Amino acid sequence: MKRLKMCSPATIRGFGSLLVRFPYGASLKPLDSLSSQSLSSSKFSSFSRYSSSGALISFLGHKYGNSDRKISTLQPLCMGRRSCKIAGRKTAQNAKKMKMYSRFGKEVVSAIKKGGHSPVSNPALATLLEKAKEMDIPKDIIDRNIKRASEKGQEAYIEKFYEIYGYGGAGMIVQVLTDKLTRTMPAIRLVLKDYGGKMADSGSIMFKFKRARVVTVKATDVDKDQLLAIALDAGAEDVIEPSIDEDDSEEGSERYYKIVSSMDNYTAILSKLREEGITFETDGGFDLIPLRLVEVDDEAMDLNKQIVSKLLELDDVDAVYTDQK
């Protein structure tokens, strides 16, 4: 009788990791041998599985003539679901800031196109430069856009609002500042064609919102009662508390208070926050605040979030407001 040869610990661990990765079994065929015919009889085919790290791996097959082309995609890895959510919030905050800088640049270009480069003779430009201090706009962004206004072929920007019906009865308002409407409108329609939603007539959604100034304060940077006292004493209309995510175990993490104010009291609120040493972020000139929030189911919520995300990827879109709860 032949004696079985003992495997090394490294070999055993390696084999064990395969069992964890493929708990439901795995084909011994090389990955290259997989084809769209073996996955599906249709022209497009796909299957998905979760790796041991929890990341979804998808293999897509697309047939070209007599050959099969296979694409493998892997989602970004995060150390747990909570880390992924925090990273997503930070990315969203950075994207919001970049949008604000982009809009400010467009406003500078438009002001110079209409009234010239001198703040003395151009009140609109002078107002923007003062607003830059309020918003902490970096100087290089200001200088770059002043220079861009002089470039040949650069047109003035036009502000437009597009209203959209989302899923579950939610409404959306898309704010754009564009130098070419013939480019912007088709891009928005294409997003709605691919991800759902429907263009609404002017005024159909807008009446559900009010225009106001908003100051954003990170929840972990301030005491709730202190912030309420400061904001209301300075003339704020409302303080919107951050939504509580059921997946967040640490209260206040990456969540924000929104101080809602009229145009007249906005500067006083900023001054008071500075006096108290509270860090804050300003808006881009104004926000649209929903008068009443619409509650939708989980599926509609995810679909609406996807529409908003895709609209914000468009260069001409500066903001998307929604009354979804």
Side-chain angles (χ1 to χ4, degrees):
M1 179 183 294
K2 291 184 179 179
R3 179 177 293 180
L4 294 175
K5 186 177 180 180
M6 295 296 293
C7 296
S8 67
T11 304
I12 294 174
R13 285 195 299 270
F15 183 69
S17 67
L18 286 175
L19 293 178
V20 173
R21 257 175 208 279
F22 306 105
Y24 302 109
S27 172
L28 296 179
K29 297 169 66 179
L31 181 61
D32 290 340
S33 65
L34 292 173
S35 66
S36 60
Q37 290 98 328
S38 64
L39 299 177
S40 171
S41 59
S42 61
K43 185 175 180 181
F44 290 90
S45 59
S46 68
F47 71 91
S48 304
R49 69 170 181 268
Y50 281 88
S51 70
S52 59
S53 64
L56 177 64
I57 304 175
S58 301
F59 295 94
L60 306 175
H62 189 291
K63 186 167 182 179
Y64 289 87
N66 296 324
S67 63
D68 292 324
R69 182 175 179 180
K70 289 163 283 294
I71 305 171
S72 173
T73 59
L74 179 65
Q75 289 183 349
L77 299 181
C78 296
M79 297 302 291
R81 185 176 181 183
R82 176 172 170 75
S83 297
C84 288
K85 293 177 74 61
I86 291 175
R89 291 192 191 100
K90 289 181 178 178
T91 300
Q93 286 295 319
N94 291 335
K96 181 180 178 181
K97 185 172 290 186
M98 294 307 296
K99 283 289 185 181
M100 182 177 69
Y101 290 166
S102 173
R103 177 175 179 81
F104 178 82
K106 296 174 186 178
E107 290 176 345
V108 169
V109 171
S110 294
I112 293 175
K113 285 287 184 182
K114 294 175 182 178
H117 285 78
S118 174
V120 177
S121 58
N122 188 343
L125 180 59
T127 301
L128 282 172
L129 295 180
E130 284 299 317
K131 189 169 84 169
K133 298 176 184 178
E134 172 190 294
M135 298 167 60
D136 293 324
I137 303 290
K139 188 176 183 301
D140 65 303
I141 291 180
I142 300 173
D143 295 340
R144 184 167 65 245
N145 285 284
I146 289 176
K147 182 180 178 182
R148 184 158 67 98
S150 303
E151 293 178 358
K152 186 178 180 180
Q154 177 62 59
E155 299 178 9
Y157 286 88
I158 303 170
E159 183 177 66
K160 288 281 289 184
F161 292 92
Y162 296 101
E163 300 171 45
I164 294 172
Y165 293 116
Y167 291 93
M172 302 177 193
I173 297 177
V174 184
Q175 180 186 9
V176 306
L177 195 60
T178 178
D179 58 351
K180 192 166 291 186
L181 289 172
T182 54
R183 174 189 65 230
T184 305
M185 189 60 183
I188 292 175
R189 288 190 181 278
L190 184 59
V191 169
L192 299 183
K193 179 182 177 182
D194 291 342
Y195 296 95
K198 180 182 177 182
M199 295 296 296
D201 294 335
S202 179
S204 301
I205 307 295
M206 185 67 78
F207 78 94
K208 299 179 180 181
F209 293 77
K210 69 174 181 178
R211 183 177 295 210
R213 298 300 305 268
V214 175
V215 189
T216 305
V217 179
K218 192 173 181 180
T220 52
D221 290 345
V222 68
D223 175 75
K224 174 183 174 181
D225 294 334
Q226 178 194 17
L227 182 65
L228 286 172
I230 293 172
L232 296 178
D233 287 346
E237 294 180 355
D238 193 11
V239 176
I240 301 174
E241 295 189 25
S243 59
I244 299 176
D245 196 313
E246 62 182 7
D247 294 322
D248 286 340
S249 57
E250 182 182 347
E251 188 174 352
S253 175
E254 297 299 326
R255 296 185 292 120
Y256 294 83
Y257 290 101
K258 289 186 176 181
I259 303 173
V260 181
S261 165
S262 65
M263 303 289 180
D264 296 334
N265 294 333
Y266 193 70
T267 303
I269 293 172
L270 298 185
S271 299
K272 191 64 176 176
L273 291 174
R274 289 192 186 100
E275 288 177 12
E276 298 294 334
I278 297 174
T279 304
F280 59 84
E281 294 181 11
T282 61
D283 56 25
F286 69 90
D287 272 6
L288 293 176
I289 308 296
L291 299 175
R292 185 179 66 86
L293 294 176
V294 177
E295 190 166 352
V296 300
D297 59 35
D298 291 343
E299 183 180 5
M301 182 180 295
D302 291 339
L303 291 170
N304 287 333
K305 285 181 178 179
Q306 189 175 42
I307 294 173
V308 171
S309 176
K310 294 301 177 181
L311 287 170
L312 287 172
E313 289 179 6
L314 302 177
D315 291 337
D316 292 333
V317 174
D318 292 322
V320 180
Y321 304 96
T322 177
D323 57 2
Q324 173 175 289
K325 187 173 182 179

